[in-house]
Amino acid sequence: VTGRALKLPSALVGLSVPAADVCVDGWRGPSDPLEGDTDQVARPGGEGADDQPPESVGQGRSVSV
Amino acid sequence: VNEAIKVDIWSDIQCPWCYIGKRKFEAAVAAFGGDVEVEYHSFELAPDTPVDFEGTPLDYLSERKGISRAQAQTMVDRVVGIAASVGLDYHYDTIHQTNTVLAHEVLHLARAHGRQAELKERLLAAYFVEGRHVGRIEDLADLAAEVGIDRDEAVAALTDHRYLGDVKADVAQAAAYGINGVPFFVFDDRYGVSGAQESSTFLQVLEQVAAEVEATVS
């Protein structure tokens, strides 16, 4: 599995998985034509897309599966 | 692996991707073969929504997101189609948009009785498929009773908000994890996965975590 990594502030390790549909305020998904936004992974602190490699994600290890 | 893999899932009752993600995750668990222990946690997508929202889901979406009803219909059509692909028959024409805090409270009551999984499924089906109201005490007590929870106890627990603190604790934990969208899955208290991933992705994560647990034990 490859893809954008999560960026988590706590002891959680972000797994590198594809972006997938989520509900946010109201709801939407990454491939909604209305949004045009393919980055729907967790974005702590309201930060933008995280293009860093998995190894730099969060405070712990990151694992690609 | 002898030890069950713990999966904590943050979701909301009125999140269509949460129900779809639940089905995809369940398919992965069935294919996995090992023991998986699931606990659902509360996430309020729209805590300011009134219990009796005046209007349709299309009204809600267009107002909430500042889009036209036609655009909202496009969103609904897409999610209904994907839901159908995993065997879920969403009926957006009968949905009662509501506040879900009481639904989360009764899910914590259900957990205390070992019936959380059953009630989670019951509430999602009630909301998305059957057009039942999931924001009022009496309706939620009826649904809780359907999965074996004492109805009077459910009414009492919801009336005095016995589990509101647990709901807020879940919400706070989600914030601490940086979760701003659901469903969100935490495997073995360590690995975070966002969204209604494909079953194959969930399965790969389960196998990865199981291999790590096994390596740690041996």
Side-chain angles (χ1 to χ4, degrees), chain B residues 79-98:
Chain B
V79 79
V80 167
I82 294 175
S85 74
V86 296
L88 295 173
D89 188 17
Y90 283 5
H91 286 281
Y92 264 87
D93 51 333
T94 60
I95 278 178
H96 291 285
Q97 202 80 42
T98 187

Side-chain angles (χ1 to χ4, degrees), chain A residues 1 6 8-10 12-13 15 17-18 20-25 27-28 31-32 34-35 40 42-43 61 63 65, chain B residues 15-17 45 61 64-65 71 75 78 176-178 180-182 186 190-192 194-197 204-205 208:
Chain A
V1 176
L6 299 184
L8 300 168
S10 67
L12 278 185
V13 177
L15 286 179
V17 296
D21 292 292
V22 297
C23 295
V24 290
D25 180 11
W27 55 268
R28 65 176 178 177
S31 53
D32 278 341
L34 304 175
E35 302 292 345
Q40 287 295 303
R43 283 180 282 184
R61 292 176 304 123
V63 180
V65 296
Chain B
C15 162
W17 299 116
L45 280 166
L61 275 175
R64 192 94 192 175
K65 301 180 71 61
Q71 288 174 308
M75 294 176 68
R78 175 174 177 264
Y177 279 155
N180 61 6
V182 287
V186 176
R190 289 181 292 170
Y191 303 109
S194 176
Q197 298 285 343
Q204 284 179 286
V205 174
Q208 172 77 28

Side-chain angles (χ1 to χ4, degrees), chain B residues 1-210:
Chain B
V1 178
N2 296 322
E3 208 169 320
I5 293 175
K6 177 78 183 297
V7 183
D8 294 283
I9 305 173
W10 273 261
S11 67
D12 197 358
I13 295 301
Q14 57 188 4
C15 162
W17 299 116
C18 293
Y19 203 6
I20 291 167
K22 183 175 186 290
R23 280 290 179 276
K24 292 183 174 183
F25 177 74
E26 288 166 345
V29 170
F32 174 58
D35 291 332
V36 177
E37 177 190 345
V38 174
E39 180 176 346
Y40 287 99
H41 297 274
S42 307
F43 191 94
E44 295 179 89
L45 280 166
D48 56 333
T49 303
V51 171
D52 287 303
F53 176 79
E54 296 288 339
T56 66
L58 287 183
D59 295 330
Y60 175 84
L61 275 175
S62 58
E63 288 175 19
R64 192 94 192 175
K65 301 180 71 61
I67 59 177
S68 69
R69 284 176 57 85
Q71 288 174 308
Q73 185 65 60
T74 300
M75 294 176 68
V76 167
D77 289 345
R78 175 174 177 264
V79 79
V80 167
I82 294 175
S85 74
V86 296
L88 295 173
D89 188 17
Y90 283 5
H91 286 281
Y92 264 87
D93 51 333
T94 60
I95 278 178
H96 291 285
Q97 202 80 42
T98 187
N99 188 297
T100 58
V101 68
L102 286 173
H104 287 299
E105 290 181 40
V106 79
L107 281 168
H108 279 280
L109 169 67
R111 180 169 182 266
H113 288 280
R115 308 293 294 171
Q116 191 191 47
E118 292 82 356
L119 187 58
K120 181 74 175 183
E121 177 64 29
R122 188 69 198 90
L123 293 181
L124 287 166
Y127 182 77
F128 283 110
V129 179
E130 301 166 18
R132 300 271 295 268
H133 203 299
V134 299
R136 300 183 297 221
I137 290 175
E138 295 296 324
D139 299 276
L140 289 167
D142 287 343
L143 291 162
E146 289 182 29
V147 300
I149 295 169
D150 182 81
R151 191 183 186 287
D152 291 339
E153 184 184 359
V155 169
L158 293 173
T159 300
D160 65 17
H161 297 290
R162 198 174 302 163
Y163 293 94
L164 180 59
D166 295 284
V167 173
K168 297 306 178 188
D170 278 352
V171 172
Q173 181 65 64
Y177 279 155
I179 298 170
N180 61 6
V182 287
F184 192 94
F185 302 75
V186 176
F187 293 75
D188 198 32
D189 291 325
R190 289 181 292 170
Y191 303 109
V193 173
S194 176
Q197 298 285 343
E198 294 302 322
S199 295
S200 57
T201 300
F202 284 131
L203 178 58
Q204 284 179 286
V205 174
L206 284 168
E207 290 173 340
Q208 172 77 28
V209 172

